[in-house]
Structure formats: structure tokens, C-alpha cells
Amino acid sequence: MMNFQPVFVTIMCMAISLLGMSAASAQSLTTYNQAYQKPTPPQEAPNLKAILSIKSAVQIGSIRLSTPRLRRFYQMVNNETLWVKQGQLTTKAFQIYDLILAAPEDGLTPSKYHKDFLDKNLQKSGLKNVQVELVLTDALIQLVHDLHIGQVDPKKLESEMGTADRSFDYITAALDVALSHNSEKAFAKYRPEHPHYEAMRAALNFYRNLKMHQEWRVIAQTGPVLRVGDYSPEIATIRKRLTVESYLSAKEISPEPAYYDASLETAIKSFQANNGLISDGIIGEATRYYLSLDIDFLIQTLTVNLERLRWLPWKISNKYLWVNIPSFQLFGVDNGETVLQMPVIVGKETRPTPIFKDKIDYIDINPKWNVPVSIVKKDLYQKLITDPSFIETQHFKIYDGWGDNAYEYKYWEIDWAQLTEDQVAQYRFVQMPGEMNALGSVKFMFPNKYNVYLHDTNQRSKFNQDIRMISSGCIRVSAPWVLAKFLLPESDGFINEDWEIPLQSGEETIISLKHPMPIYLSYQTVMINSEARPVFYEDIYGHDIQLLSAIKGRLPTVQQISQN
């Protein structure tokens, strides 16, 4: 191809010379000519290097980007751009953008991943610059991080469930998604592997779709109790609500929509069971509460519970115990199958059961109860003032310290009314094994800083209550010897006599587990049942409110009720 530029310059210079123009004027015209040469393609990489050389952060509009993590990401691709090439967006850029738009499907919020900026800059025409490149990369890194281990560090809230598993290399994972031929498939593999995650995610999207495409019906939280045979305009509303939630088939159209018939009773019983209520078919206060819930509340509840599942270890043991505090239940899981389930009692609101994971090391048969100082102050102190004889009738012993040679007092040797709480707490109170012992006949130990454990109880009637927030933090189990059999299997060489003989002897006996059993004390206000339906439970400690506040920066309105 011929280059016409020298010819053009030569002709112009000759013309200038002929017209007697100055040399300075000729130079200006040459400069003008050079300025209108064909532009060279944009050079993103040098600009990228310059921006990434900034020590800590760079501001792009209202967005503040962390340069250290961006620098590490681009070092792995030799500082080459991925989304912007010669001023144009790549196909891959739109794949990543689609992942951001789909974030609500996992309970994540697109605005956290610079959606507003990307909406404007990815859709408008014109050349794209390195700023778009960096914002999209930062969005992907944060999205992968939040999907895998959560948006909130559990240590900053109510849980220590995931503190040992937050070393996930999310920058390398983001690069894996970026370079994958199928970004959506690569992204999906970083979802938690917990068996409930996919089912809970499906439930979230079920309610999101209902919100978009169906009319959500609710009834008043207060109103008359409704039973089979009753007529009420609310019953027609309830029918529509249960139909969109698939408790009633659209084919089951009653000729009398306001009449409470047998088919509606069956649907109500299923609805009650799926919300942790007594399944009696009676639409009372508790059932009304759940039928009054706005769909946004259910979506928010599923969102926070998906977040909690992200806090769990990436790999869960084949055999483990799972205590769900809000549902007052314990589960034993073996190779993915729930083989054990029982009611439990958990801590009261003022003394909540903590949320963490550990391993049960040993079983203590016929245990003594060394009363914690906190319980001495809060419970025993007032009893000692009013009637100290319980020390004898309930088989307590009192010592002047915690050493082996501590002196043992009789309760009448001390004038309790003259002592303060702190002075009483200096004594050690021990309840001896037997029928009066608050720990019952056995406790299951996983030593921890909270001093909580699983144990039997001498107050078995408490398991008949629907709301079982009674203890001082420990978990009381309803079937302790069924649990013992789960922990001491015959495959490990244990037989029933290993605990039956020491139990009958009345002597305290320790049995160490050959294989310590993982245990998870969890707080899930939604669980997935065997029919893959979400089961909603009351937020008994208010943890959902705290977590929603941390995720979204605002507090929802939550009504607390009794499930009587």
C-alpha cells in the first residue's frame, strides 16, 4: 500500500514556500497534519498497570476498589485485560454481567456488585476503558467470595460456625470463573455443598417467582379461631393463599369458597407442620400469624438462612450431630441420611445457646454437676437466702474452693443472708449423681469456652412444651440412651453393657469415644423437610434481625408470638 503522507507534506511545503509563508507557519501546519493521522488502538494494559500500582485503593466514581486483590488477580494473567479489548467489550464480559444479574437467585444483592455502574457502562455505545474492566473484575471477585463463604463474617455476629473455614482463595476462584468456557457452570461449583442449600435456594426462587407472577394473599394476624365447618370470608382468602403455595391443587375448587371443608383442613395441617406448628387443622393465633406474613418476609428469612449455610465447613463429615436451636431438634446424620431425630430443650432468651461447631469426645455416665458461677449467682443465691435446706434435699455439696483438698461445709454452717452474690459465688456447689441431678443420668461432652454440652434431665415433662427455651444454655436431650447408641456404635466395639453396667452402679463413669463425633449447634429459622418444602421457625433470639441488618444495613419489622 502506498503511503501518501510524505507526498502530502511535500506538496503543502512547496505551496507554503511559493506563497511566502514563514517557517513557523509551515511547522504549525505539519503539526496539524500529524494530529489527524489514523488513531492507534487503545492501549489498556499500560493504563491497567498504572492503576494497579496504586498502593491500597482506587476511586472510580462512587466506587472504591481494593487494588491489592485486583493486582493479584491480574498478575495471574500477566496484566492482560479480560473484559475490554481494543475498547470493545468481550462476550465473556456479558457472561459475568449475567451472573451479577442472577445474584438474587442465591439471596445476594446485585447492587453490591456494582450493578448500577455496569448497567450504564456496559449498555451505552462507545469505546470502553480500563475503569469498566476493573469494576467488572472487582464485582466478580466479591460475588464469588460472597457465594462461597458469605457476605458477613459470622464472628462479628452470633456465630462461630464458620471461623475455621474462611481461608478460601476467592481470587483464584474468580479467575477460574473468568477463564472458564462456561462461566455459569464454573460459578455454580462454588455454591455450598450442604444438602439443604440447593433445596433452600429453590424455595427462595419459588417465592421470588410467586411475588412476580402471583397475587399473594394474607389474612389479619388477629381474628376468630377457624375450624372445620366454619364459614368466613377469610377462608376464601386462605384457599387462594394455599393454592399458590401448592398446598391445595387448583383443581380443588370448592363450590363454597368461604366454607372450611375437609380438603382445606388437610391443606392447613400440612401448612402447620411446615411451619413448626401443632398440626391440628385449627386456625388459631399461631397459624394466623404465619398466614399473615408478607411474602417479602419469607424471602428475607430464606435469604438469611442461605447466608448461614455458607458459614458451614466446605466439607461436612459423613456422620455427625446437628442441633437446630429455633426448631428445638437434634438430628443424627449418617452418610447423608437422617437416622436420628429427637426434641431438645435449649437456652432461654436471656441465656441463649451459642452457635458453633465442635466434636464430642466422651460420655459421662452418672455425672456430677459442678454448678457454673453464673448459675450460682442467678439461681442458687436467692434459694440459699429463702430456704437453704434444698442443698440437702437435692443432694448438693458445698466446698470452700476448687482444689482436691477443699473443705466441705454443711449448709447450716453458713449464714447465707449475710453474704452477697459475689461472696456466695466463691463457694463451689456440686450436685451428686442420682435422681435429683439436673443433668439426669448422662452428659455428652465437647469441652468448649461456653461450658455447654448435651445432657439428660430430671424434668422430662418439659419436652411436652412447644416452645422449649428453658435451659441456661446447655441442650437437654429427650432420648439420651438412643443418642448414646448413635455415638457408641457396635462397629466401634461398644455394646449396651458398656453403659448399662456403670449406670446401674450409680458411680460416675467416663467413656471416651474412639472416633470423636462432629456436632453443629446451628441457628436455622428455615429447614427443608423430607418433601423438599421449607419449614419456617420463629426467630427466638432475634438473630435473623441482626443478620439482615448486617447484610442490608436496615432492620425489618418482625412480630414475635407464642405458638400455643
Side-chain angles (χ1 to χ4, degrees):
M1 179 181 293
M2 295 181 65
N3 187 345
F4 293 98
Q5 179 180 319
V7 177
F8 177 77
V9 172
T10 301
I11 294 172
M12 290 301 297
C13 288
M14 288 174 62
I16 291 168
S17 178
L18 290 170
L19 294 171
M21 289 185 174
S22 66
S25 298
Q27 180 61 42
S28 297
L29 192 54
T30 302
T31 302
Y32 177 88
N33 175 51
Q34 291 172 344
Y36 280 84
Q37 294 182 44
K38 182 179 179 181
T40 58
Q43 298 296 313
E44 295 94 2
N47 290 334
L48 183 68
K49 290 180 182 178
I51 293 176
L52 294 179
S53 67
I54 298 173
K55 187 174 182 180
S56 59
V58 62
Q59 195 79 21
I60 298 178
S62 61
I63 301 172
R64 185 175 176 83
L65 304 180
S66 168
T67 48
R69 70 179 187 178
L70 289 170
R71 191 157 47 240
R72 180 163 173 256
F73 180 94
Y74 282 102
Q75 283 172 350
M76 292 189 284
V77 290
N78 298 316
N79 291 319
E80 293 289 333
T81 58
L82 297 181
W83 327 119
V84 180
K85 297 291 187 182
Q86 296 188 355
Q88 300 299 320
L89 290 170
T90 63
T91 301
K92 179 66 71 170
F94 288 99
Q95 292 181 14
I96 303 305
Y97 179 59
D98 286 342
L99 293 180
I100 295 169
L101 296 180
E105 295 178 9
D106 285 278
L108 303 173
T109 308
S111 61
K112 287 191 170 186
Y113 314 108
H114 317 315
K115 177 180 178 294
D116 291 344
F117 176 94
L118 295 170
D119 283 347
K120 295 175 183 177
N121 288 276
L122 267 61
Q123 301 301 333
K124 70 181 182 182
S125 60
L127 298 178
K128 310 302 177 186
N129 58 29
V130 72
Q131 293 183 344
V132 174
E133 169 81 22
L134 291 175
V135 169
L136 189 55
T137 300
D138 186 79
L140 174 61
I141 291 172
Q142 193 64 48
L143 183 61
V144 172
H145 171 281
D146 292 355
L147 177 74
H148 188 80
I149 60 175
Q151 305 162 83
V152 179
D153 185 344
K155 287 180 68 176
K156 297 178 180 179
L157 286 177
E158 80 277 7
S159 172
E160 292 196 12
M161 187 67 80
T163 54
D165 302 283
R166 301 186 70 81
S167 58
F168 168 59
D169 186 353
Y170 56 92
I171 296 177
T172 299
L175 184 63
D176 172 45
V177 175
L179 299 180
S180 173
H181 177 69
N182 188 328
S183 296
E184 184 177 359
K185 186 175 181 180
F187 181 73
K189 72 183 181 184
Y190 293 108
R191 291 191 177 106
E193 289 188 347
H194 190 279
H196 280 187
Y197 187 88
E198 282 301 325
M200 197 173 293
R201 180 174 177 268
L204 171 66
N205 289 297
F206 172 76
Y207 284 104
R208 288 180 64 244
N209 287 330
L210 280 186
K211 181 180 178 179
M212 289 186 286
H213 304 298
Q214 297 279 356
E215 183 179 3
W216 184 257
R217 298 298 187 98
V218 298
I219 64 171
Q221 184 179 341
T222 58
V225 174
L226 300 173
R227 295 178 172 85
V228 173
D230 287 344
Y231 280 91
S232 170
E234 287 187 312
I235 292 175
T237 300
I238 292 169
R239 284 185 182 279
K240 292 179 180 179
R241 162 69 177 276
L242 297 184
T243 299
V244 300
E245 286 196 271
S246 301
Y247 288 101
L248 276 172
S249 168
K251 297 179 181 179
E252 299 178 78
I253 300 175
S254 172
E256 297 182 277
Y259 176 64
Y260 192 163
D261 60 15
S263 64
L264 180 59
E265 181 187 32
T266 300
I268 284 290
K269 286 182 177 180
S270 180
F271 176 83
Q272 289 170 327
N274 284 338
N275 286 282
L277 305 175
I278 298 172
S279 185
D280 57 8
I282 299 172
I283 304 173
E285 180 185 9
T287 304
R288 275 187 167 276
Y289 169 75
Y290 282 98
L291 288 170
S292 73
L293 290 177
D294 185 84
I295 194 168
D296 287 329
F297 177 82
L298 301 182
I299 290 171
Q300 288 180 345
T301 301
L302 286 159
T303 296
V304 298
N305 282 276
L306 280 170
E307 176 74 0
R308 289 193 181 104
L309 290 181
R310 297 185 190 104
W311 297 348
L312 295 174
W314 185 232
K315 298 289 185 181
I316 293 181
S317 306
N318 288 333
K319 189 173 183 180
Y320 60 90
L321 289 176
W322 180 283
V323 175
N324 188 43
I325 297 166
S327 66
F328 314 110
Q329 291 175 304
L330 176 147
F331 305 89
V333 179
D334 194 356
N335 287 319
E337 181 182 356
T338 299
V339 297
L340 174 66
Q341 182 175 343
M342 69 179 69
V344 298
I345 290 169
V346 302
K348 58 188 71 173
E349 188 174 4
T350 55
R351 307 180 197 179
T353 298
I355 304 166
F356 68 106
K357 66 180 184 295
D358 213 311
K359 289 185 178 182
I360 296 178
D361 296 319
Y362 65 92
I363 297 175
D364 187 347
I365 299 174
N366 297 318
K368 297 174 184 175
W369 182 34
N370 287 286
V371 185
V373 170
S374 60
I375 295 180
V376 171
K377 289 183 176 182
K378 295 174 181 177
D379 299 332
L380 293 194
Y381 176 70
Q382 288 301 323
K383 291 183 179 180
L384 287 165
I385 299 299
T386 56
D387 182 14
S389 64
F390 81 90
I391 293 293
E392 187 171 71
T393 59
Q394 295 186 25
H395 302 163
F396 281 94
K397 291 189 175 184
I398 307 169
Y399 299 93
D400 67 354
W402 293 82
D404 293 338
N405 298 318
Y407 176 77
E408 181 184 348
Y409 286 96
K410 300 300 182 182
Y411 74 88
W412 61 80
E413 293 183 78
I414 300 171
D415 187 355
W416 300 104
Q418 300 302 313
L419 301 182
T420 65
E421 285 185 8
D422 289 336
Q423 288 172 326
V424 170
Q426 292 177 6
Y427 294 93
R428 176 164 59 107
F429 295 82
V430 181
Q431 191 175 35
M432 305 310 290
E435 292 182 359
M436 301 302 297
N437 192 290
L439 305 184
S441 57
V442 61
K443 65 179 180 179
F444 306 89
M445 298 300 294
F446 42 104
N448 56 80
K449 66 181 181 181
Y450 305 104
N451 196 28
V452 300
Y453 42 85
L454 308 181
H455 65 84
D456 186 16
T457 178
N458 62 350
Q459 297 179 313
R460 310 203 62 77
S461 62
K462 301 291 187 182
F463 290 106
N464 296 328
Q465 299 180 17
D466 294 323
I467 305 298
R468 296 188 291 276
M469 300 164 59
I470 301 170
S471 81
S472 292
C474 286
I475 299 99
R476 305 176 194 176
V477 297
S478 56
W481 297 108
V482 174
L483 175 58
K485 191 169 184 179
F486 180 81
L487 295 172
L488 303 173
E490 292 184 8
S491 59
D492 279 357
F494 293 105
I495 56 176
N496 289 352
E497 285 77 4
D498 287 326
W499 63 76
E500 289 177 349
I501 293 174
L503 178 64
Q504 296 302 320
S505 74
E507 297 295 323
E508 185 171 21
T509 305
I510 303 295
I511 299 180
S512 296
L513 272 63
K514 292 183 179 180
H515 300 96
M517 180 70 66
I519 180 168
Y520 302 89
L521 305 188
S522 71
Y523 192 92
Q524 296 292 141
T525 50
V526 180
M527 296 281 282
I528 303 298
N529 68 11
S530 59
E531 299 175 359
R533 279 187 177 274
V535 182
F536 293 88
Y537 299 100
E538 188 177 351
D539 181 17
I540 58 174
Y541 295 156
H543 289 336
D544 280 8
I545 298 174
Q546 296 174 9
L547 183 49
L548 268 172
S549 178
I551 291 173
K552 297 188 175 183
R554 62 182 177 85
L555 294 178
T557 299
V558 178
Q559 304 167 49
Q560 302 290 333
I561 60 142
S562 169
Q563 296 184 16
N564 293 330

